[in-house]
Protein backbone atom coordinates (compact mmCIF):
# COMPACT_ATOMS: atom_id res chain seq x y z
CA UNK A 1 0.00 0.00 0.00
CA UNK A 2 3.06 2.28 -0.10
CA UNK A 3 3.28 1.99 -3.88
CA UNK A 4 1.79 4.81 -5.91
CA UNK A 5 -1.32 3.77 -7.86
CA UNK A 6 -2.96 5.81 -10.61
CA UNK A 7 -6.54 5.34 -11.81
CA UNK A 8 -6.82 6.53 -15.40
CA UNK A 9 -10.37 7.36 -16.41
CA UNK A 10 -12.08 7.84 -13.06
CA UNK A 11 -15.71 7.21 -13.93
CA UNK A 12 -18.07 5.16 -11.77
CA UNK A 13 -15.92 2.02 -11.68
CA UNK A 14 -12.70 4.02 -11.30
CA UNK A 15 -14.15 6.04 -8.45
CA UNK A 16 -15.42 2.87 -6.76
CA UNK A 17 -11.89 1.45 -6.87
CA UNK A 18 -10.45 4.70 -5.57
CA UNK A 19 -12.84 4.89 -2.62
CA UNK A 20 -12.36 1.18 -1.88
CA UNK A 21 -8.58 1.52 -1.77
CA UNK A 22 -8.86 4.46 0.60
CA UNK A 23 -11.14 2.46 2.92
CA UNK A 24 -8.70 -0.46 2.74
CA UNK A 25 -5.83 1.70 3.97
CA UNK A 26 -4.18 3.35 0.99
CA UNK A 27 -3.02 6.86 1.82
CA UNK A 28 -4.43 9.63 -0.42
CA UNK A 29 -0.90 10.80 -1.23
CA UNK A 30 -0.20 7.39 -2.82
CA UNK A 31 -3.16 7.64 -5.20
CA UNK A 32 -3.36 9.59 -8.45
CA UNK A 33 -6.37 10.00 -10.71
CA UNK A 34 -6.95 11.26 -14.23
CA UNK A 35 -10.17 12.59 -15.71
CA UNK A 36 -11.36 14.15 -18.96
CA UNK A 37 -13.15 17.11 -17.39
CA UNK A 38 -11.63 19.73 -15.02
CA UNK A 39 -14.84 19.90 -12.97
CA UNK A 40 -14.69 16.13 -12.41
CA UNK A 41 -11.06 16.45 -11.29
CA UNK A 42 -12.03 19.15 -8.79
CA UNK A 43 -14.84 16.97 -7.48
CA UNK A 44 -12.51 14.02 -6.85
CA UNK A 45 -9.86 16.20 -5.19
CA UNK A 46 -12.43 17.63 -2.82
CA UNK A 47 -14.14 14.33 -2.07
CA UNK A 48 -11.08 12.11 -1.57
CA UNK A 49 -8.09 14.39 -1.09
CA UNK A 50 -6.19 12.79 -3.98
CA UNK A 51 -4.06 14.46 -6.62
CA UNK A 52 -5.40 14.73 -10.16
CA UNK A 53 -2.85 14.60 -12.96
CA UNK A 54 -2.55 14.12 -16.72
CA UNK A 55 -2.23 10.64 -18.22
CA UNK A 56 1.47 11.09 -19.13
CA UNK A 57 2.22 12.41 -15.63
CA UNK A 58 0.50 9.39 -14.12
CA UNK A 59 2.61 7.08 -16.30
CA UNK A 60 5.80 8.80 -15.13
CA UNK A 61 4.98 8.81 -11.42
CA UNK A 62 2.84 5.78 -10.57
CA UNK A 63 4.08 2.23 -9.95
CA UNK A 64 0.70 0.78 -10.99
CA UNK A 65 -1.58 2.17 -13.69
CA UNK A 66 -5.24 1.08 -13.66
CA UNK A 67 -6.74 1.72 -17.10
CA UNK A 68 -10.45 2.21 -16.39
CA UNK A 69 -11.35 3.76 -19.74
CA UNK A 70 -13.93 2.59 -22.29
CA UNK A 71 -12.72 -0.17 -24.64
CA UNK A 72 -12.97 2.08 -27.68
CA UNK A 73 -10.68 4.63 -26.00
CA UNK A 74 -7.92 2.17 -25.09
CA UNK A 75 -5.83 2.53 -28.25
CA UNK A 76 -5.66 6.32 -27.94
CA UNK A 77 -4.84 6.10 -24.22
CA UNK A 78 -2.00 3.62 -24.83
CA UNK A 79 -0.55 5.87 -27.53
CA UNK A 80 -0.49 8.64 -24.93
CA UNK A 81 1.12 6.46 -22.26
CA UNK A 82 3.62 4.46 -24.32
CA UNK A 83 6.49 6.98 -24.35
CA UNK A 84 6.41 7.19 -20.55
CA UNK A 85 5.74 3.60 -19.42
CA UNK A 86 8.81 1.60 -18.42
CA UNK A 87 8.94 -2.12 -17.75
CA UNK A 88 8.99 -1.64 -13.99
CA UNK A 89 5.39 -0.38 -14.13
CA UNK A 90 2.39 -2.65 -13.67
CA UNK A 91 -0.51 -2.08 -16.06
CA UNK A 92 -3.99 -3.24 -15.01
CA UNK A 93 -6.75 -3.01 -17.60
CA UNK A 94 -10.40 -2.92 -16.53
CA UNK A 95 -11.74 -2.42 -20.06
CA UNK A 96 -14.10 -5.08 -21.40
CA UNK A 97 -12.79 -7.17 -24.27
CA UNK A 98 -9.30 -5.66 -24.36
CA UNK A 99 -6.67 -8.42 -24.29
CA UNK A 100 -3.34 -8.25 -22.51
CA UNK A 101 -1.65 -8.85 -25.89
CA UNK A 102 -3.32 -5.73 -27.31
CA UNK A 103 -1.79 -3.69 -24.48
CA UNK A 104 1.59 -5.43 -24.42
CA UNK A 105 2.08 -4.84 -28.16
CA UNK A 106 1.72 -1.09 -27.63
CA UNK A 107 4.08 -0.73 -24.67
CA UNK A 108 7.74 -1.48 -24.02
CA UNK A 109 8.60 -5.16 -24.41
CA UNK A 110 8.39 -6.93 -21.06
CA UNK A 111 5.86 -4.59 -19.46
CA UNK A 112 3.67 -6.60 -17.02
CA UNK A 113 -0.02 -6.41 -17.86
CA UNK A 114 -3.02 -7.81 -15.98
CA UNK A 115 -6.58 -7.92 -17.28
CA UNK A 116 -9.44 -7.49 -14.81
CA UNK A 117 -13.19 -7.61 -15.40
CA UNK A 118 -15.01 -6.00 -12.45
CA UNK A 119 -18.76 -5.55 -12.25
CA UNK A 120 -20.86 -2.66 -10.97
CA UNK A 121 -21.47 -4.02 -7.43
CA UNK A 122 -17.92 -2.78 -6.72
CA UNK A 123 -19.85 0.44 -6.05
CA UNK A 124 -21.20 -1.16 -2.85
CA UNK A 125 -18.12 -3.32 -2.05
CA UNK A 126 -19.88 -6.47 -3.30
CA UNK A 127 -18.20 -6.73 -6.68
CA UNK A 128 -16.66 -9.69 -8.44
CA UNK A 129 -13.42 -8.95 -10.27
CA UNK A 130 -12.04 -11.61 -12.60
CA UNK A 131 -8.24 -11.43 -12.95
CA UNK A 132 -5.98 -12.80 -15.70
CA UNK A 133 -2.22 -12.45 -16.09
CA UNK A 134 -0.50 -11.31 -19.25
CA UNK A 135 2.76 -12.74 -20.56
CA UNK A 136 5.03 -10.82 -18.20
CA UNK A 137 2.90 -10.53 -15.03
CA UNK A 138 4.51 -12.09 -11.95
CA UNK A 139 2.76 -13.77 -9.00
CA UNK A 140 3.59 -10.67 -6.97
CA UNK A 141 1.84 -8.49 -9.56
CA UNK A 142 -1.24 -10.71 -9.39
CA UNK A 143 -1.26 -10.45 -5.61
CA UNK A 144 -1.08 -6.67 -5.90
CA UNK A 145 -4.02 -6.61 -8.31
CA UNK A 146 -5.95 -8.83 -5.93
CA UNK A 147 -5.28 -6.40 -3.06
CA UNK A 148 -6.63 -3.50 -5.09
CA UNK A 149 -9.78 -5.16 -6.38
CA UNK A 150 -10.32 -7.14 -3.17
CA UNK A 151 -11.01 -3.79 -1.51
CA UNK A 152 -14.35 -3.64 -3.35
CA UNK A 153 -15.49 -7.26 -3.30
CA UNK A 154 -14.26 -10.70 -4.27
CA UNK A 155 -11.69 -11.70 -6.87
CA UNK A 156 -11.27 -14.75 -9.05
CA UNK A 157 -8.24 -15.82 -11.11
CA UNK A 158 -8.95 -17.38 -14.51
CA UNK A 159 -6.96 -18.02 -17.72
CA UNK A 160 -7.42 -15.13 -20.12
CA UNK A 161 -9.13 -17.48 -22.58
CA UNK A 162 -12.08 -17.52 -20.15
CA UNK A 163 -12.35 -13.75 -19.78
CA UNK A 164 -14.99 -13.25 -22.47
CA UNK A 165 -17.21 -15.85 -20.80
CA UNK A 166 -16.68 -14.18 -17.43
CA UNK A 167 -17.54 -10.80 -18.95
CA UNK A 168 -20.83 -12.24 -20.21
CA UNK A 169 -21.65 -13.97 -16.95
CA UNK A 170 -20.26 -11.67 -14.25
CA UNK A 171 -19.38 -8.35 -15.87
CA UNK A 172 -22.81 -8.00 -17.44
CA UNK A 173 -24.52 -10.22 -14.88
CA UNK A 174 -25.96 -7.53 -12.59
CA UNK A 175 -27.86 -6.07 -15.55
CA UNK A 176 -29.71 -9.36 -16.03
CA UNK A 177 -30.84 -9.32 -12.41
CA UNK A 178 -31.96 -5.69 -12.69
CA UNK A 179 -33.91 -6.64 -15.81
CA UNK A 180 -35.54 -9.55 -13.97
CA UNK A 181 -36.47 -7.36 -10.99
CA UNK A 182 -37.96 -4.79 -13.38
CA UNK A 183 -40.09 -7.48 -15.04
CA UNK A 184 -41.20 -8.98 -11.74
CA UNK A 185 -42.13 -5.52 -10.43
CA UNK A 186 -44.35 -5.02 -13.47
CA UNK A 187 -45.89 -8.43 -12.77
CA UNK A 188 -46.60 -7.37 -9.19
CA UNK A 189 -48.41 -4.28 -10.48
CA UNK A 190 -50.39 -6.47 -12.89
CA UNK A 191 -51.41 -8.61 -9.91
CA UNK A 192 -52.71 -5.56 -8.06
CA UNK A 193 -49.80 -4.41 -5.87
CA UNK A 194 -48.54 -0.81 -5.67
CA UNK A 195 -45.17 -0.38 -7.40
CA UNK A 196 -43.25 0.45 -4.21
CA UNK A 197 -44.55 -2.61 -2.37
CA UNK A 198 -43.89 -4.91 -5.35
CA UNK A 199 -40.36 -3.50 -5.58
CA UNK A 200 -39.63 -4.03 -1.88
CA UNK A 201 -40.94 -7.59 -1.95
CA UNK A 202 -38.84 -8.56 -4.94
CA UNK A 203 -35.64 -6.85 -3.83
CA UNK A 204 -35.77 -8.56 -0.43
CA UNK A 205 -36.53 -11.90 -2.09
CA UNK A 206 -33.47 -11.38 -4.33
CA UNK A 207 -31.22 -10.47 -1.39
CA UNK A 208 -32.44 -13.42 0.68
CA UNK A 209 -32.07 -15.85 -2.21
CA UNK A 210 -28.53 -14.60 -2.95
CA UNK A 211 -27.48 -15.01 0.69
CA UNK A 212 -28.94 -18.54 0.75
CA UNK A 213 -27.01 -19.43 -2.43
CA UNK A 214 -23.80 -18.01 -0.98
CA UNK A 215 -24.04 -19.38 2.55
CA UNK A 216 -25.97 -22.66 2.35
CA UNK A 217 -23.64 -24.55 0.05
CA UNK A 218 -26.73 -26.07 -1.58
CA UNK A 219 -27.13 -26.44 -5.35
CA UNK A 220 -29.63 -23.92 -6.78
CA UNK A 221 -31.78 -26.81 -8.01
CA UNK A 222 -32.11 -28.06 -4.41
CA UNK A 223 -33.00 -24.61 -3.13
CA UNK A 224 -35.60 -24.20 -5.87
CA UNK A 225 -37.08 -27.63 -5.10
CA UNK A 226 -37.46 -26.62 -1.45
CA UNK A 227 -39.88 -23.90 -2.58
CA UNK A 228 -41.66 -26.03 -5.17
CA UNK A 229 -44.56 -27.98 -3.65
CA UNK A 230 -46.47 -30.57 -5.70
CA UNK A 231 -49.28 -28.89 -7.67
CA UNK A 232 -48.45 -25.60 -5.93
CA UNK A 233 -48.03 -22.04 -7.06
CA UNK A 234 -44.29 -22.19 -7.75
CA UNK A 235 -44.38 -25.21 -10.07
CA UNK A 236 -47.11 -23.54 -12.12
CA UNK A 237 -44.92 -20.46 -12.50
CA UNK A 238 -41.87 -22.59 -13.40
CA UNK A 239 -43.93 -24.39 -16.05
CA UNK A 240 -44.76 -21.06 -17.70
CA UNK A 241 -41.10 -19.99 -17.63
CA UNK A 242 -40.16 -23.24 -19.36
CA UNK A 243 -43.04 -22.92 -21.86
CA UNK A 244 -41.76 -19.47 -22.83
CA UNK A 245 -38.18 -20.67 -23.23
CA UNK A 246 -36.65 -18.51 -20.50
CA UNK A 247 -33.76 -20.92 -19.89
CA UNK A 248 -32.94 -21.09 -23.61
CA UNK A 249 -33.21 -17.29 -23.86
CA UNK A 250 -30.67 -16.88 -21.05
CA UNK A 251 -28.25 -19.24 -22.77
CA UNK A 252 -28.58 -17.28 -26.01
CA UNK A 253 -28.25 -13.94 -24.21
CA UNK A 254 -24.99 -14.90 -22.51
CA UNK A 255 -23.59 -16.27 -25.77
CA UNK A 256 -24.42 -12.92 -27.40
CA UNK A 257 -22.63 -11.03 -24.62
CA UNK A 258 -19.58 -13.29 -24.95
CA UNK A 259 -19.52 -12.77 -28.72
CA UNK A 260 -19.70 -8.99 -28.30
CA UNK A 261 -16.77 -9.14 -25.89
CA UNK A 262 -14.80 -10.96 -28.60
CA UNK A 263 -15.79 -8.32 -31.13
CA UNK A 264 -14.51 -5.58 -28.84
CA UNK A 265 -11.22 -7.44 -28.50
CA UNK A 266 -10.96 -7.61 -32.28
CA UNK A 267 -11.35 -3.86 -32.55
Amino acid sequence: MTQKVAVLGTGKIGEALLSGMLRAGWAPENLLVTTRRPERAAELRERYGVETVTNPDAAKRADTLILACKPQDMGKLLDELAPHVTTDRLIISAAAGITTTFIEDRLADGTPVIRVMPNTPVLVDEGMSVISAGSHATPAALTHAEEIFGAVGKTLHVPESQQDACTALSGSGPAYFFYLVEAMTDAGILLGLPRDKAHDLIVQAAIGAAVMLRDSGEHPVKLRENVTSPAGTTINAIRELENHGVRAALLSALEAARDRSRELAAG
Side-chain angles (χ1 to χ4, degrees), residues 8-9 36 67-75 77 94-96 98 264:
L8 282 66
R36 285 185 173 182
L67 312 185
C69 63
K70 295 179 180 178
Q72 57 267 35
D73 296 332
M74 183 62 78
L77 176 59
I98 301 298
L264 289 171

Side-chain angles (χ1 to χ4, degrees), residues 66-245:
I66 302 173
L67 312 185
C69 63
K70 295 179 180 178
Q72 57 267 35
D73 296 332
M74 183 62 78
K76 182 179 178 181
L77 176 59
L78 292 172
D79 289 342
E80 193 176 1
L81 298 177
H84 311 289
V85 173
T86 53
T87 56
D88 60 343
R89 301 290 192 260
L90 170 62
I91 308 299
I92 300 176
S93 168
I98 301 298
T99 65
T100 56
T101 301
F102 179 92
I103 298 171
E104 289 167 349
D105 288 347
R106 287 158 177 79
L107 299 177
D109 186 37
T111 301
V113 178
I114 290 174
R115 178 177 172 182
V116 181
M117 184 70 252
N119 60 13
T120 54
V122 299
L123 296 167
V124 292
D125 293 347
E126 291 291 348
M128 173 58 82
S129 299
V130 184
I131 300 175
S132 299
S135 302
H136 310 292
T138 64
L142 283 168
T143 298
H144 185 50
E146 192 172 59
E147 288 175 350
I148 292 172
F149 286 85
V152 289
K154 293 188 176 183
T155 61
L156 178 70
H157 293 263
V158 301
E160 190 169 8
S161 61
Q162 297 176 0
Q163 273 282 357
D164 292 321
C166 291
T167 297
L169 197 64
S170 176
S172 300
Y176 315 145
F177 285 95
F178 300 147
Y179 181 87
L180 180 61
V181 167
E182 178 188 0
M184 291 178 70
T185 300
D186 288 344
I189 295 168
L190 178 66
L191 297 175
L193 292 171
R195 177 174 292 275
D196 59 341
K197 287 185 170 57
H199 176 82
D200 289 348
L201 287 167
I202 294 158
V203 169
Q204 187 56 40
I207 292 170
V211 172
M212 288 177 71
L213 276 169
R214 184 191 65 191
D215 296 347
S216 70
E218 295 281 3
H219 194 281
V221 169
K222 175 63 175 175
L223 293 174
R224 178 176 60 79
E225 288 177 345
N226 290 342
V227 190
T228 310
S229 304
T233 59
T234 305
I235 192 59
N236 275 273
I238 296 294
R239 179 188 62 186
E240 288 302 308
L241 292 173
E242 294 292 350
N243 286 344
H244 286 82

Side-chain angles (χ1 to χ4, degrees), residues 16-98:
L17 288 172
L18 175 66
S19 61
M21 284 188 284
L22 288 166
R23 289 191 300 276
W26 267 270
E29 57 267 26
N30 288 330
L31 298 173
L32 304 172
V33 299
T34 76
T35 66
R36 285 185 173 182
R37 297 178 290 108
E39 59 271 25
R40 174 63 169 164
E43 178 186 338
L44 292 169
R45 285 196 301 270
E46 181 177 351
R47 185 176 298 167
Y48 300 108
V50 295
E51 184 179 358
T52 57
V53 297
T54 64
N55 290 326
D57 194 31
K60 295 173 188 176
R61 295 173 55 190
D63 302 292
T64 299
L65 304 176
I66 302 173
L67 312 185
C69 63
K70 295 179 180 178
Q72 57 267 35
D73 296 332
M74 183 62 78
K76 182 179 178 181
L77 176 59
L78 292 172
D79 289 342
E80 193 176 1
L81 298 177
H84 311 289
V85 173
T86 53
T87 56
D88 60 343
R89 301 290 192 260
L90 170 62
I91 308 299
I92 300 176
S93 168
I98 301 298

